Amino acid sequence: MAKTATINIRIEPEIKADVEKLFSSFGITVSDAVNIFLRKSLMEGGLPFDVKQPRYNAETEMAMQEARDIAAGKIPTKRYANAKELFEDLSV
């Protein structure tokens, strides 16, 4: 069957460039990849993958929150003038 229908989508230019590079490494175009996705969706009767939020264990969640708090300046962090100071502190 001839491909005559058109779908227009808007995406960020960086994403478009990245997927074009990715799919070209497989020898296919973005259009080919979209067609594969749509055909697989029809075969599956829905999205061909699970759509869900990632779940992490409590320790990982706490570590991620701590990193966010550090980045936001809510938790003060120790600073070192150079790597030698850091390694000396780590070896204590």
Side-chain angles (χ1 to χ4, degrees), residues 4-69:
T4 58
T6 302
I7 296 175
N8 293 309
I9 60 171
R10 295 186 185 280
I11 59 171
E12 297 170 12
E14 298 82 22
I15 298 295
K16 181 177 184 274
D18 288 347
V19 297
E20 285 174 334
K21 183 177 177 183
L22 172 67
F23 293 136
S24 71
S25 73
F26 298 131
I28 64 173
T29 66
V30 174
S31 183
D32 294 330
V34 170
N35 275 293
I36 291 168
F37 169 78
L38 295 174
R39 288 177 182 275
K40 181 70 173 168
S41 295
L42 288 171
M43 289 174 18
E44 296 285 331
L47 291 173
F49 48 81
D50 291 335
V51 179
K52 57 186 175 183
Q53 292 284 336
R55 294 201 177 166
Y56 305 103
N57 63 34
E59 184 180 8
T60 301
E61 290 282 356
M62 288 172 37
M64 291 184 341
Q65 185 57 52
E66 180 182 23
R68 287 185 201 104
D69 290 344

